[in-house]
Amino acid sequence: SVASTASADILRAMSPKMLFDYLSIRLNGPKASGKRIVLNFNFPDIKSQYVLTVENGVLNYASDRQSLVADATITTTKENLDAILSKQASLNQKMASGEFRVDGNKAALADLFALLDNFPFWFNIVTP
């Protein structure tokens, strides 16, 4: 199997802030240019809230707050988000089971995921 840059175990060990930092690194800035996405995340299991904003080709987040003008509000557990990001479960599976709730524009979340790059584990640090 091909090694991944962030295994399920690594994602599980990340705090939400570290996870959102990781997503900001994976954001393809040129593809995100001109797009604006605002998503509220509620994690009842760890009693925390975040707002993610993609604007000017950059993903930023703030903790302990929600946006009144968010495109969508996602309510799930950190474990469910980890499972989706590590491809151990699909977003559709988690939504159908009710474990991942999206209130508002569901396409905004799909748009965010479409803007994320996947990096190969083995890459050339120095090229000839």
Side-chain angles (χ1 to χ4, degrees):
S1 82
V2 175
S4 170
T5 51
S7 70
D9 290 334
I10 291 173
L11 290 175
R12 243 188 325 274
M14 289 182 184
S15 68
K17 290 180 180 184
M18 292 170 75
L19 183 67
F20 294 143
D21 282 340
Y22 170 66
L23 293 182
S24 70
I25 292 167
R26 288 184 50 202
L27 185 78
N28 183 317
K31 270 176 53 177
S33 179
K35 295 194 184 294
R36 185 169 197 284
I37 302 169
V38 179
L39 299 171
N40 289 328
F41 277 84
N42 292 318
F43 299 107
D45 58 323
I46 54 175
K47 297 175 180 57
S48 61
Q49 297 181 320
Y50 295 85
V51 59
L52 271 66
T53 305
V54 173
E55 193 170 29
N56 299 321
V58 176
L59 186 151
N60 287 302
Y61 66 89
S63 59
D64 301 323
R65 59 202 281 208
Q66 300 277 269
S67 170
L68 298 174
V69 295
D71 296 302
T73 297
I74 292 95
T75 304
T76 191
T77 63
K78 165 83 170 46
E79 181 181 352
N80 284 327
L81 183 59
D82 295 342
I84 291 166
L85 291 173
S86 65
K87 296 183 175 37
Q88 291 187 322
S90 77
L91 177 60
N92 290 337
Q93 286 172 329
K94 291 292 185 181
M95 287 176 66
S97 71
E99 296 175 272
F100 196 100
R101 198 174 85 227
V102 181
D103 297 309
N105 181 2
K106 290 175 177 57
L109 181 62
D111 289 346
L112 172 64
F113 287 159
L115 294 173
L116 299 177
D117 281 334
N118 289 309
F119 302 110
F121 182 76
W122 299 110
F123 60 91
N124 295 326
I125 295 173
V126 178
T127 56

